Each structure stands twice: as structure tokens, then as C-alpha cells.
DNA sequence: TCCCTATTGCAATAGAGTTGCATTTGCGTA
DNA sequence: TACGCAAATGCAACTCTATTGCAATAGGGA
């Protein structure tokens, strides 16, 4: 058990270093947090969690942005003027880019897999450019 | 010609009043501006234009929001933390809700018609809720 | 034309994120 | 293992977009 945690810690440290960054406590805690998340987290969600560790919000911002630039995280804005970050893990379920659904009522964010445009739409979209991200908004089932 | 403009003016005033709002110079100018636009305009784009008329930016914000609430405009956030507004004209080409494409490089916004999800995706999306808006992001053809 | 209330201008305020700078610390190297 | 320096951090000030309070102004129905 303890051995497990130690291994996890080491693998997180390694990932950070392989991205060209230093494995600081704040960064390790951030990745641990995102590792256990089922949807992208906002800066304030991460900052709240790391406050116990005495990490400043500016540091959280810088780390999230730096790790996104380094390719460890993916950063998106889902229409509510707040940045959200999620893990870019090769093996993970949400490793690669995928559509998101945002409830315009309660703000809940869901990661969607398997959502695609029609072949015709794909063709038409080339007229505009190369699509890299799909965002769907609407009313979630809880909000009716 | 002059008669034409007068008729347009009257129809704009009428539309504002039918929405339950007063037809003020600032609102009329805003609608005229949006009437001639081919993509949604930001608050600052509208505010810059109305500055010549001596309209305050707070007034522009209030009018855009109020007219959106009243159903004359549609308000959206396309991922760059700026509100954009477009006309909700029954007859107009972009009258009803439609997908938008945003270039993550240059910020250009395009209104897309005819872009749809696959039937399978529509079915899967019901698991999350009712989709009311589709936003696509990527690299426009100008930006490569 | 009059009156009431919606609307406006102006300034202060809010929220999310960014930045400058002095201090601390990870980690490659000796 | 100890050292040195660039990277990272804490803290405060600042930017940008948008919102709000309040007194003055002006639509438009009666
Ligand atoms: Mn996701
Ligand atoms: Mn549009
Ligand atoms: Zn909801
Ligand atoms: Zn572009």
C-alpha cells in the first residue's frame, strides 16, 4: 500500500520532470488532484484544495498554465469565462481531446467521448478551418 | 431612399417596443449595427461604434443584455471570455440558433449553418441533457 | 402636454487572471 | 553530500471584462 503510493508519487514526479519542469510540492499536489477528477477542474477548485498546503493562487495559476504549455494538462474555456484544466494522460480515459458538455443552468461540466459530427458537417467545416475542439451547451438532465 | 431609411428606422423602433423596451437612440443604433454584421459582435465593438454618439459603455452593456433577455439578441461566450451578440431576426439568415466556429489563433468568429452531430451522437448526448448550442474551435484557413 | 418610470452617465466595484520583484528551492554538477 | 544557479514561489499591485449604485434625464402612454 505504502509502496503503491510511493510509486505513484515517483511516477508523477517523473512526468513533471520529463515535461521539463521541476517537481515541486504544489505541482505534485495539482496533478494528484486532477488524477482523481472525473471532469476538468477550475483554477479556483484547485487553488482551494492547495490552500491547505499554503500555496498561493498566483502559483496555482502559473503552474496550471505552465503544465498546460508543457503538455501535461489541457486548458479550456467552456463558456463561463473560467479556465478549466484536465490531465493529458496517454493511457487515461480522457487522455486525448474530447468534446465537453456544459449545463447552462447549473454549470456542470461533463467529458463526452464518442460524440462526432456527421461526415457532411466535417466536409463543410473544412471551409472554415481545422476543428480541434467541440463544445456542446445545453440543459443537463438534472436541470430539466 | 429616404423613405426606405425611415421605414427601416420605424421597423427597428417597433421591434424594440414590441419587446417591451423603449426605443432609445442607443438601442436603435445597436440594432442597426448588428443588422449589418455578418458575425456576432462583442460589447467593445458595439461600444466603440456608439462612442461617437456619446453613449456610455455601461449603457451599451445594459442594452445588449436587456435586449438579449428580451429576445431581440442572442448572447454567447465563445471561449475568449468576451460576450458576443447577434440579431435574433425571424427572417434573417442567422435568425435561429446555429453553431459557431472560432479560430483559436486569430479569434475570428464564423456563423455556421448546416453543421450537425451524427444520429448516434445525438442519441448518446441525451444521456447528458438537451443540447442547445454547438461551438467548434480550431485553426481557420487563414491561420493554417 | 404631463407624469411616471425606464434609461442613461459616471464612478465605484467585482471577479478571473496576470505580472513585477525579492526570496526560496529543486536538482544538475562537482 | 555539498554547492550554485536558474526555476519556482509568495505577495501585492495591476489588467481586463463586466456589473452595479445613484442621481439626473427622457421615452411614450394617458
Ligand atoms: Mn474532459
Ligand atoms: Mn452566429
Ligand atoms: Zn444542470
Ligand atoms: Zn484564424
Amino acid at each position: 500500500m505504502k509502496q503503491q503510493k510511493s510509486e505513484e508519487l515517483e511516477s508523477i514526479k517523473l512526468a513533471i520532470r520529463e515535461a521539463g519542469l521541476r517537481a515541486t510540492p504544489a505541482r505534485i499536489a495539482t496533478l494528484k488532484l486532477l488524477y482523481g477528477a472525473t471532469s476538468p477542474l477550475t483554477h479556483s477548485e484547485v487553488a482551494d484544495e492547495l490552500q491547505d498546503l499554503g500555496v498561493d493562487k498566483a502559483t496555482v495559476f502559473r503552474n496550471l498554465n505552465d503544465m498546460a504549455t508543457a503538455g501535461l494538462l489541457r486548458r479550456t474555456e467552456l463558456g463561463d469565462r473560467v479556465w478549466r484544466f484536465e490531465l493529458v494522460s496517454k493511457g487515461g480515459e480522457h487522455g486525448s481531446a474530447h468534446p465537453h458538455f456544459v449545463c447552462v443552468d447549473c454549470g456542470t461540466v461533463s467529458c463526452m467521448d464518442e460524440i462526432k459530427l456527421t461526415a457532411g458537417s466535417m466536409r463543410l467545416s473544412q471551409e472554415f478551418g481545422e476543428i480541434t475542439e467541440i463544445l456542446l451547451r445545453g440543459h443537463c438532465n438534472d436541470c430539466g
Side-chain angles (χ1 to χ4, degrees), chain A:
Chain A
M1 227 64 226
K2 192 169 180 184
Q3 187 59 28
Q4 286 295 333
K5 286 200 80 170
S6 175
E7 281 177 24
E8 181 190 278
L9 176 63
E10 286 312 314
S11 90
I12 287 180
K13 285 186 175 180
L14 186 61
I16 297 175
R17 292 191 187 125
E18 280 182 339
L21 300 171
R22 290 184 181 173
T24 66
R27 286 185 183 144
I28 295 167
T30 299
L31 290 191
K32 276 187 184 171
L33 194 59
L34 287 169
Y35 190 76
T38 59
S39 63
L41 301 184
T42 65
H43 159 264
S44 72
E45 287 168 335
V46 176
D48 285 352
E49 208 67 30
L50 300 206
Q51 198 160 38
D52 305 329
L53 298 176
V55 181
D56 188 76
K57 74 189 184 77
T59 298
V60 177
F61 269 119
R62 280 190 281 228
N63 280 342
L64 288 170
N65 288 337
D66 291 348
M67 289 195 288
T69 300
L72 288 171
L73 306 181
R74 193 179 300 115
R75 159 177 148 155
T76 17
E77 216 277 19
L78 302 176
D80 52 1
R81 47 202 52 233
V82 172
W83 293 119
R84 280 186 172 73
F85 300 83
E86 62 187 344
L87 227 48
V88 176
S89 51
K90 293 86 188 173
E93 184 167 0
H94 299 293
S96 55
H98 50 264
H100 288 103
F101 176 80
V102 182
C103 176
V104 297
D105 302 311
C106 67
T108 298
V109 175
S110 313
C111 300
M112 299 174 116
D113 301 296
E114 312 294 332
I115 296 287
K116 295 185 185 63
L117 300 179
T118 64
S121 294
M122 294 288 275
R123 197 174 344 100
L124 279 169
S125 72
Q126 292 181 6
E127 186 183 320
F128 298 92
E130 182 204 353
I131 294 173
T132 58
E133 190 186 344
I134 298 178
L135 172 60
L136 305 178
R137 275 196 279 246
H139 308 281
C140 81
N141 288 326
D142 287 341
C143 294

